[in-house]
């Protein structure tokens, strides 16, 4: 090969590298700091706050929580087996715990947690959980309807999560169930109406990738391969000038999907490096405080995705996490935040004074104390979700949107967003 040949060969190689999404290792201290934020959640063993996603994230990370982690899984098992025990055993039950039944997506996350511990669901209890998840998906398929005119009662995000969880347990689903998610990805306007989010398409992509790797649904093989490509392209297109795929908080799931993939001619490698740089800056800024989001990010920092749960490596060495020293910041400064709810009668608009660094939830509590403002929340894996304002509960496919005036939707929930002095926060009832 002449000099020119060698040069072209090298350039070709570099070009190929630029097409692969690789995430170089991140400073282990930074990763540890992130992991430490999960420890209080693992130690907080209230049934209501149990979060299978935290267990999954930890097991796919380079970190471990030793005996606490094992105990956490034990309690998760008690909760989920109890929640879906056979009706025969629940005869004398009042209906109290029926209301607290985990959703389809939560059951799916629990099954992922079992796989993260290298367990396959099985036996009587396990089969019941699998049948339950399959029933959930069948119900959702019916809700979407034969002409795809309806919507899942939960969301396409949870639909994808359900398919993924059954897939990593080597449980097959009927083509018609998978077909609904394929259709949603194939018809963009359909997804838009259903609130297309990068998180949602990434989750769908992870489910399809699992089906592809497992050779499931062979009759739909071609559609599945195409859908994976479509999803990757959509996510690449959604990259912002700062480097996020969608926004900072959808970037971890997006990277789970893109990581280790190869897309010739798409400069995928460069896009992923840019996303990594943007994420690192945020990690240093402590943007990742939410346990659920940390649990989606930790696998990425360890080069793993949920698809690795097909055959997880449970022997991989992981660093034992030590609790961090808390140094609570004390502040005397008081700020004022304008809280407004224009859609109620009479419209609510008040300036609320709180200590600097207070969360939006603290602002709500202060407003409630002062009178004239009420709100209600529901506990979720992401934290407290605002479900009612001034007694107005959300209807089907509605939500109370959080915005910073004039029109910027917040990227965090009420427990995490910390308003700045002089900011106006609007609560708006919208359809999604
Ligand atoms: C679907 C979805 C929605 C749907 C939820 C309705 C439904 N029936 O599914 C809608 C469109 C209504 C929604 C609203 C909001 N969402 Co949203 N949502 C999601 C998504 C894509 C999936 C959630 C899910 O199903 N998880 C799986 C199930 C098993 O877990 P779960 O806990 O049982 O799920 C419930 C909660 O997640 C809750 N929920 C949904 N979003 C949010 C956001 C917050 C902060 C909280 C506390 C709860 C919550 O709704 C789910 C169904 O009941 C996630 C993506 C992700 N990466 O997690 C974003 C995500 C959680 N949402 C996000 C945000 C910012 C919001 C809003 C705050 C936006 C806003 N400015 O108003 C609002 C919530 C406001 C409120 N009332 O408290 C962020 C949270 C980032 C963070 N820092 O924590 C995420 C990560 C998306 C993103 N990349 O920005 N969301």
């Amino acid at each position: 090969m002449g000099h020119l040949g060698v040069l072209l060969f090298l350039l070709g190689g570099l070009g190929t590298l630029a097409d692969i999404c690789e995430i170089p290792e991140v400073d282990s201290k930074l990763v540890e700091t992130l992991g430490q934020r999960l420890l209080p959640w693992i130690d907080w063993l209230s049934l209501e706050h149990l979060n299978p996603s935290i267990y999954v994230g930890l097991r796919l990370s380079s970190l471990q929580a030793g005996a606490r982690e094992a105990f956490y899984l034990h309690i998760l098992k008690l909760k989920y087996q109890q929640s879906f025990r056979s009706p025969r055993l629940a005869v004398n039950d009042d209906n109290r715990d029926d209301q607290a039944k985990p959703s389809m997506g939560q059951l799916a996350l629990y099954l992922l947690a079992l796989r993260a511990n290298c367990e396959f669901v099985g036996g009587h209890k396990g089969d019941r959980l699998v049948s339950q998840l399959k029933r959930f998906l069948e119900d959702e398929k019916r809700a979407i309807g034969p002409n795809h005119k309806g919507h899942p009662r939960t969301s396409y995000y949870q639909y994808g999560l359900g398919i993924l969880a059954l897939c990593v347990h080597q449980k097959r689903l009927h083509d018609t169930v998978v077909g609904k998610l394929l259709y949603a990805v194939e018809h963009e306007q359909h997804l838009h109406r259903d609130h297309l989010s990068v998180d949602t398409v990434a989750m769908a992509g992870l489910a399809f990738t699992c089906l592809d790797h497992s050779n499931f649904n062979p009759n739909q093989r071609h559609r599945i391969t195409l859908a994976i490509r479509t999803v990757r392209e959509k996510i690449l297109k959604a990259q912002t000038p700062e480097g996020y795929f969608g926004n900072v908080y959808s970037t971890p799931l997006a990277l789970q999907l893109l990581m280790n993939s190869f897309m010739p001619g798409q400069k995928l490698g460069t896009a992923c490096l840019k996303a990594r740089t943007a994420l690192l800056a945020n990690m240093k800024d402590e943007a990742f405080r939410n346990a659920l989001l940390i649990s989606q990010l930790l696998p990425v920092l360890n080069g793993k995705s949920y698809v690795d749960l097909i055959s997880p490596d449970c022997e991989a060495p992981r660093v034992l996490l030590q609790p961090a020293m808390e140094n609570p910041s004390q502040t005397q400064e008081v700020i004022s935040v304008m809280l407004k709810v224009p859609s109620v009668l009479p419209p609510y608009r008040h300036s609320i004074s709180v200590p600097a660094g207070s969360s939006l939830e603290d602002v709500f509590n202060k407003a409630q104390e002062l009178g004239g403002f009420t709100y209600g929340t529901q506990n979720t894996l992401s934290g407290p979700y605002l479900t009612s304002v001034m007694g107005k509960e959300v209807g089907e496919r509605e939500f109370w949107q959080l915005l910073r005036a004039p029109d910027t939707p917040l990227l965090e929930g009420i427990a995490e967003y910390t308003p700045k002095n002089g900011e106006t926060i609007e609560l708006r009832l919208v359809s999604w």
Side-chain angles (χ1 to χ4, degrees), residues 181-199:
L181 193 59
L182 283 169
Y183 185 93
V185 166
E186 288 161 356
H187 295 79
E188 224 187 314
Q189 81 283 28
H190 186 79
L191 265 178
H192 271 310
R193 207 183 52 215
D194 273 288
H195 181 80
L196 167 88
S197 67
V198 165
D199 310 72

Side-chain angles (χ1 to χ4, degrees), residues 105-106 199 247 250 293 296 381 384 386 400 402 410-411 413 432:
Q106 292 172 357
D199 310 72
N247 65 30
S250 45
L293 294 168
Q296 295 180 345
L381 304 185
L386 186 64
W400 277 104
L402 318 174
L410 301 186
L411 293 183
W432 63 282

Side-chain angles (χ1 to χ4, degrees), residues 103 105-106 109 153-155 157-158 161 195 197 199-200 247 249-250 253 290 292-293 296 378 380-387 398-403 409-414 416 432:
S103 62
Q106 292 172 357
L109 281 169
R153 255 176 250 134
T154 57
S155 60
Y157 181 93
Q158 292 199 32
L161 201 51
H195 181 80
S197 67
D199 310 72
T200 304
N247 65 30
Y249 299 120
S250 45
L253 276 185
N290 183 290
L292 182 102
L293 294 168
Q296 295 180 345
Q378 180 197 325
T380 72
L381 304 185
S382 291
Y385 178 71
L386 186 64
T387 49
E398 276 182 349
F399 77 109
W400 277 104
Q401 190 180 34
L402 318 174
L403 301 114
L410 301 186
L411 293 183
E412 287 160 322
I414 60 167
E416 261 129 41
W432 63 282

Side-chain angles (χ1 to χ4, degrees), residues 113-126:
L114 290 182
R115 245 353 252 137
N117 191 39
C118 291
E119 293 179 44
F120 276 112
V121 275
H124 199 56
K125 289 175 185 161

Side-chain angles (χ1 to χ4, degrees), residues 227-244:
I228 296 172
R229 196 189 309 157
T230 307
V231 163
R232 285 184 187 150
E233 283 168 3
K234 277 185 206 290
I235 291 179
L236 268 183
K237 256 199 214 143
Q239 187 162 37
T240 64
E242 301 83 27
Y244 305 126

